Amino acid sequence: MMCQSKLAKQVASLQGAVNRQRGVVLFIALIVLVAMSLAGIALVRSVDTNVLVAGNLAFRQGATAASDSPVQAARAWIVANATGSNLFSDSSSQAFFSTWQSAFNPDTYDWKDAAKAKSLGADAAGNTRYYVIHRMCSNSGDPNAATNLCVKSAASGRGRGSFGAIAYPGLALEEAGSPVYRITARVEGPKNTVTMVQTVVVP
């Protein structure tokens, strides 16, 4: 009887240990399940973020490509008005300014003001396009005037076709060239995409 009693106690003890171990396994399984769930959520969010970034890059590239049309429109207007004194003074309807406006800041500029920027409207992709033209001169009027400092293209010699040299009055470096015109284009695309491009042209 004593042996049976001891055996029964040992069996009961073993069953209790097994039951306790089953509880630990369940607890560990729940922890692993929570960890796997968090990892799955993180993976989904990572994929969504990558798709969002790729989409934003595509919109930005589209807006940058769309900036070519306002640049070409501004260039065409400059070429069409390059003769005579047409470009000696401002033309607000075409967002043309005969001076370089040293305070000009594309980031804070009022692009919505029709007297300050020329709007070409939206293209097929939903990109709204603007441009503004600055003649790179210190003053309005004749660019060859003695009091007017202008950035000009080289007209002859080894510097032909280069930009950025300031032709100071009375300083005979080379034959005087044409004034340089700076075109600043802004494109506002879908999802608040904004891109700006600056280029210089000589008619």
Side-chain angles (χ1 to χ4, degrees), residues 40-63:
I41 293 172
L43 181 61
V44 171
R45 290 180 61 87
S46 176
V47 172
D48 289 345
T49 301
N50 290 337
V51 171
L52 183 62
V53 170
N56 289 341
L57 288 174
F59 283 126
R60 184 171 182 82
Q61 289 175 349

Side-chain angles (χ1 to χ4, degrees), residues 18-34:
V18 170
N19 291 334
R20 286 195 298 271
Q21 289 178 358
R22 286 178 180 171
V24 171
V25 170
L26 178 61
F27 181 70
I28 294 174
L30 289 174
I31 292 176
V32 172
L33 182 61
V34 170

